Structure formats: structure tokens, C-alpha cells
Amino acid sequence: MVAGQRLMQTSGDIFLGWTRVTGFDGQDRDFYVRQLWDWKGIARPESMSPALLALFGRLCGASLARAHARSGDPVAIAAYLGGSDRFDRALTEFAQSYADQNERDYEALGTACRTGRITAERL
């Protein structure tokens, strides 16, 4: 976990690490250690306007994509995937299916709101 976390971070957390401790029962246990408070701001999506929330979502997506892009070995991934377009087609099919499911879920949410099954507020 720590090795993966270090790969994904753009700037290192000097307090990130792990330790193994032998407990009173004689059992070794591994513990993940990290900074308790990073002194950065905390986003509060519930207080954001729709436009700001959309921007926040795009920034989170870009950060996640960048972190994952840093974590892989491009040569090893390319060798594993090979020269065919099979993976590309599978990824495209998954993305389209996922988008279709999101649309069905959104429609079900709208129906639940319109019929009074749930209550929702627009921000």
C-alpha cells in the first residue's frame, strides 16, 4: 500500500510509511503510517454551486488520472497488452456500458424524485 501510495503522489508525504510491531500476544502486525493532518484545505462539495462542483469533479478526475498514470510501467503494460486492439475495444465497450448504466441510474433517481419515493433538493 505504501509503495503504491508513493508512486501516485506528486509530492511525497514525509510521514508516509509502515512499521511492523510485535504485539503483547507475540503476533507480528503491520501498520500503515501517514501524516495525521496535512494542513491543506478541505473541499466542502455541499456548499459548492453546480458550476464549482463540476469544476471540482473535473479536477478530482484529472488528479486521479495523473496519479494512476504515474503508477504504471509503460513498457511492461504495453508488453502485457500486446499489439492487438482487443484491450482498446474491451475498454471502449466497458466505458459505453458504464455510461449507459449511469443514464439508467439518473433516470431512476429522477423517477424516484418525481413520484415522491425520495426527496431531493437542487443546490
Side-chain angles (χ1 to χ4, degrees):
M1 180 184 291
V2 170
Q5 186 89 23
R6 284 187 177 142
L7 282 170
M8 291 190 293
Q9 291 177 332
T10 55
S11 61
D13 176 351
I14 62 171
F15 297 111
L16 175 65
W18 67 276
T19 188
R20 177 168 289 154
V21 177
T22 303
F24 294 119
D25 59 0
Q27 295 292 314
D28 286 342
R29 291 182 177 81
D30 293 329
F31 290 90
Y32 172 74
V33 181
R34 67 174 301 238
Q35 187 174 336
L36 178 61
W37 178 253
D38 62 12
W39 297 100
K40 296 177 189 110
I42 296 174
R44 302 205 184 279
E46 69 276 5
S47 67
M48 295 180 185
S49 68
L52 185 56
L53 186 59
L55 174 62
F56 179 65
R58 286 193 303 275
L59 289 171
C60 288
S63 296
L64 183 62
R66 179 178 178 173
H68 283 288
R70 292 170 42 94
S71 66
D73 177 346
V75 174
I77 293 169
Y80 177 79
L81 294 176
S84 79
D85 67 346
R86 189 170 160 191
F87 177 76
D88 299 346
R89 286 184 287 112
L91 197 58
T92 300
E93 183 180 319
F94 172 80
Q96 289 172 338
S97 296
Y98 200 84
D100 292 343
Q101 183 63 55
N102 280 333
E103 288 176 1
R104 288 190 299 271
D105 291 347
Y106 184 77
E107 182 58 38
L109 175 64
T111 300
C113 288
R114 285 189 300 280
T115 61
R117 260 188 45 221
I118 64 168
T119 303
E121 287 183 33
R122 288 192 183 264
L123 299 176

